[in-house]
Amino acid sequence: MNYKVNEVPERVIKTRDEWAESDAKRDAGLTEPEDIKAIRDLSYGPYDKWNLLDVYRPIAAEGKLPVIMNIHGGGYFYGDKELYRFYCMRMAQGGFAVVNFNYRLAPEFNFPSPLEDASRVLKWIDDNADEYGLDKENVFIIGDSAGAQLASQYAAIHTNPEYAALFPFNTDNGCKVRAVGLACGVYRIEYRIKHEKDGYVFSDYLGGKTDMHDPILDMQKYVTSNYPPAYIFSSHCDFLLEECGPFKEFLEGKGVEAESHIYGTPEAKEIAHVFHCNLRLEEGEKANLAQIDFFKRHIVI
């Protein structure tokens, strides 16, 4: 499928620069752990810098490891694998091979580009499982903020052939997604568009396609009992807190195993949106360890 490469408005460039400065301050002084091996800048698709991934593995581990695939956040228009390397290496220390990848961002590319890229990554895992020691029978998808929305939607695509058939790209792969970890995410796009909660974020991502009656956008309509178990978390000071509990209840209503956890306190303003990516925060460490424990309970031997 061919995608138009759009111009980038000055407002997007400015916001990207501001967020990058903030994230650099958060991660200043962090170093990559010595017990993790990183294989960097592997190509998984045809879109050059947009289609690169890294694999992180514990150096001491042998053989195939269960896989965590990370879909980064950033409002669909910001972020890359470099920004998430410290967080993903921390998750790898839990005994996983972590696949951390770039995907095509808005507004240069529109929906469903990131979902197609996620599908390409799963196919890459299937094709390269032997070379990089990846257990494709035990794949876990994590995402935060917009990445959590993408992860939650791809889980529906992965587990419902009827929904997958609506997308203009190949969703076939040999991987088995056993569970998802969803942090500080959006799970009701239609609600946020209707109430104009996110400014230009969704209009840029969807390229003007905001008719929520279009079945391809209505992910929840296609969630079945085959949807993978979900660990959903947020914080008291997350501006997307209101999304967490309802999605957990929705999944349970579909017969899907789901856990939700709210971290921090209303007074702990530093425990805010995507707090778990700040490796200096104790609450972030709690959340990440809880995700790891949840995934380990769903590994199939």
Side-chain angles (χ1 to χ4, degrees):
M1 181 175 183
N2 293 320
Y3 293 84
K4 178 183 177 182
V5 181
N6 302 310
E7 295 293 327
V8 183
E10 184 63 32
R11 58 174 166 78
V12 173
I13 296 172
K14 180 181 178 182
T15 304
R16 284 175 175 172
D17 289 343
E18 291 172 350
W19 288 14
E21 183 178 356
S22 176
D23 287 331
K25 290 179 180 178
R26 180 197 66 193
D27 293 342
L30 293 180
T31 58
E32 296 181 2
E34 294 181 357
D35 59 345
I36 296 298
K37 176 183 179 181
I39 306 102
R40 305 178 196 272
D41 293 330
L42 302 170
S43 176
Y44 71 86
Y47 290 93
D48 300 323
K49 67 176 183 178
W50 304 98
N51 285 171
L52 296 177
L53 62 79
D54 295 346
V55 178
Y56 312 133
R57 289 177 53 96
I59 289 174
E62 297 180 356
K64 291 188 177 181
L65 295 177
V67 180
I68 293 175
M69 184 177 89
N70 177 61
I71 305 180
H72 72 73
Y76 309 103
F77 69 89
Y78 168 77
D80 59 21
K81 63 184 177 62
E82 298 307 311
L83 179 64
Y84 278 73
R85 71 188 188 281
F86 297 118
Y87 165 61
C88 286
M89 288 179 181
R90 177 66 191 94
M91 297 298 285
Q93 288 177 316
F96 293 82
V98 177
V99 177
N100 179 29
F101 67 100
N102 294 341
Y103 58 81
R104 284 169 288 165
L105 298 177
E108 291 96 321
F109 299 90
N110 302 129
F111 171 91
S113 298
L115 294 167
E116 180 179 35
D117 289 346
S119 191
R120 287 183 182 276
V121 172
L122 284 172
K123 185 64 170 66
W124 184 92
I125 291 171
D126 179 30
D127 291 341
N128 295 276
D130 291 338
E131 182 173 355
Y132 295 101
L134 310 175
D135 181 359
K136 63 185 182 181
E137 293 297 315
N138 285 292
V139 176
F140 302 88
I141 301 178
I142 59 175
D144 62 81
S145 195
Q149 190 281 316
L150 293 167
S152 67
Q153 187 170 18
Y154 197 84
I157 295 170
H158 185 74
T159 53
N160 187 338
E162 180 185 356
Y163 192 37
L166 299 179
F167 286 85
F169 53 81
N170 185 12
T171 61
D172 292 335
N173 60 76
C175 295
K176 178 64 177 179
V177 177
R178 297 294 179 182
V180 293
L182 308 174
C184 305
V186 171
Y187 314 108
R188 301 172 296 170
I189 293 180
E190 72 287 351
Y191 171 81
R192 304 200 72 80
I193 291 174
K194 179 179 179 181
H195 294 276
E196 298 182 342
K197 285 181 171 285
D198 300 282
Y200 58 79
V201 169
F202 285 110
S203 61
D204 280 354
Y205 172 50
L206 297 175
K209 185 183 183 68
T210 56
D211 177 8
M212 297 313 300
H213 297 291
D214 187 328
I216 201 170
L217 297 181
D218 191 3
M219 175 272 287
Q220 293 194 5
K221 179 180 177 181
Y222 293 93
V223 170
T224 71
S225 59
N226 293 325
Y227 195 90
Y231 185 86
I232 310 162
F233 67 96
S234 182
S235 73
H236 285 281
C237 296
D238 177 18
F239 73 92
L240 294 178
L241 172 60
E242 64 182 347
E243 295 278 333
C244 183
F247 191 54
K248 184 239 187 189
E249 293 173 3
F250 168 79
L251 291 179
E252 289 182 328
K254 293 291 185 177
V256 177
E257 178 188 349
E259 289 187 21
S260 67
H261 296 269
I262 310 302
Y263 290 89
T265 67
E267 296 73 34
K269 303 301 182 182
E270 73 278 10
I271 313 299
H273 191 58
V274 300
F275 67 98
H276 64 298
C277 290
N278 187 340
L279 299 189
R280 296 184 172 93
L281 291 177
E282 182 179 350
E283 287 292 278
E285 177 71 355
K286 288 180 182 179
N288 295 332
L289 289 175
Q291 272 197 107
I292 288 169
D293 289 343
F294 185 83
F295 292 163
K296 286 184 174 179
R297 295 202 303 269
H298 292 88
I299 292 173
V300 175
I301 306 301

